[in-house]
Amino acid sequence: MRTRKKVIIAEDQKLLRHALKALLSDMDYLEVVGEAEDGSDAIRGVERHRPDLVLMDLSMPRISGLSALGEIKRRFPETKVLVLTIHDSEDYIFEAFHSGADGYCLKDSSFEELDRAIRCVLSGKPFFSTAISDRILEGYLNGGGLASRGENSQLQSLTQREKEILKLVGENYRNREIAELLFISEKTVEKHRSNIMRKLNCHTSSALTALSIKSGLAVKHSRNSEHKI
């Protein structure tokens, strides 16, 4: 690769984000052009910098990596997204690829494997960490694997967008704030909330909040975090 490829690192853990930046900056074919500590930052960063690659964590506050991944691939399909995560379950793996991921790399991978993953994805080839490749193959041979996901049955009826809104409700975001974070209208948020309440048989906002926290969708994180893009 003769030209340096532009990269954005989307990772909410500051120490890891800085370590990744230092690591990637030493690769002579990469240039780190932005950092993001949540999915909203990542989307704005791609919009601003139009990078060749995004390293995307899945478990981030506000907009999750999965939702950001889907939005980025919808709006900027030419940008490659390499998931870099601790999650090795089939739920996350297949959800990520259905959202448009170009590769899936585990955080406990070696430097050599991360380098190989980046080169592979940038060249247009899919990549799976060695630790999960057999599981991926088995899942596809059995018809995709999604039908057997072990997700909480109470949430199975929700779409990815509805899960993201439920997550933000659990983190006490108002409809207007959710609309801004997800790049949709406030009216659309209200419609999604209504559908969520109907599907989950919840009749109050407090019940939605409690369910979001109980299910593990909502995370504790400062809403006043500084942006890195």
Side-chain angles (χ1 to χ4, degrees):
M1 299 181 187
R2 295 182 179 179
T3 59
R4 293 168 71 90
K5 301 295 185 179
K6 296 187 293 184
V7 183
I8 285 178
I9 301 169
E11 164 62 55
D12 67 316
Q13 297 296 322
K14 183 181 293 186
L15 185 61
L16 179 55
R17 190 170 65 244
H18 289 178
L20 282 170
K21 182 178 180 181
L23 186 67
L24 299 187
S25 295
D26 285 339
M27 298 180 180
D28 59 8
Y29 65 96
L30 298 177
E31 177 188 3
V32 178
V33 296
E35 301 173 51
E37 61 181 18
D38 59 50
S40 181
D41 277 351
I43 296 168
R44 281 194 294 267
V46 173
E47 186 174 32
R48 177 181 178 185
H49 298 289
R50 301 299 174 92
D52 300 287
L53 174 71
V54 178
L55 281 187
M56 180 72 73
D57 185 21
L58 294 182
S59 300
M60 293 191 291
R62 300 202 287 186
I63 298 181
S64 72
L66 276 174
S67 288
L69 165 58
E71 184 70 12
I72 288 169
K73 296 303 288 188
R74 183 184 69 81
R75 295 174 57 189
F76 312 99
E78 70 283 357
T79 295
K80 304 295 185 183
V81 179
L82 174 60
V83 170
L84 184 61
T85 180
I86 62 171
H87 299 294
D88 63 355
S89 69
E90 291 182 11
D91 296 29
Y92 281 98
I93 297 166
F94 288 107
E95 192 93 33
F97 279 99
H98 272 260
S99 296
D102 297 285
Y104 200 101
C105 191
L106 299 179
K107 286 183 177 178
D108 62 359
S109 298
S110 65
F111 168 77
E112 290 76 18
E113 184 167 49
L114 176 60
D115 183 28
R116 187 166 65 254
I118 292 172
R119 291 179 184 273
C120 195
V121 166
L122 285 174
S123 68
K125 301 175 184 177
F127 179 88
F128 310 95
S129 277
T130 304
I132 64 172
S133 58
D134 291 342
R135 197 178 314 167
I136 291 291
L137 179 59
E138 181 182 355
Y140 275 111
L141 290 175
N142 290 330
L146 284 175
S148 62
R149 286 160 47 202
E151 190 174 49
N152 188 315
S153 60
Q154 198 170 21
L155 302 178
Q156 284 184 343
S157 62
L158 300 185
T159 65
Q160 180 59 35
R161 178 64 90 192
E162 288 168 347
K163 290 176 188 176
E164 196 60 48
I165 289 175
L166 178 59
K167 172 183 182 293
L168 292 170
V169 168
E171 294 172 1
N172 295 317
Y173 283 90
R174 299 181 179 87
N175 285 356
R176 176 181 57 79
E177 296 171 314
I178 294 173
E180 292 174 355
L181 287 169
L182 298 180
F183 303 95
I184 58 179
S185 70
E186 190 170 347
K187 185 175 181 180
T188 299
V189 174
E190 293 171 356
K191 183 177 179 180
H192 280 307
R193 284 188 66 148
S194 177
N195 288 338
I196 293 167
M197 294 177 82
R198 174 180 54 80
K199 289 180 178 181
L200 300 182
N201 196 29
C202 288
H203 305 292
T204 65
S205 293
S206 59
L208 277 185
T209 299
L211 181 57
S212 179
I213 294 172
K214 182 180 179 180
S215 68
L217 286 174
V219 297
K220 294 182 179 180
H221 192 81
S222 172
R223 292 177 53 179
N224 297 316
S225 299
E226 58 179 338
H227 295 301
K228 298 301 176 184
I229 294 297

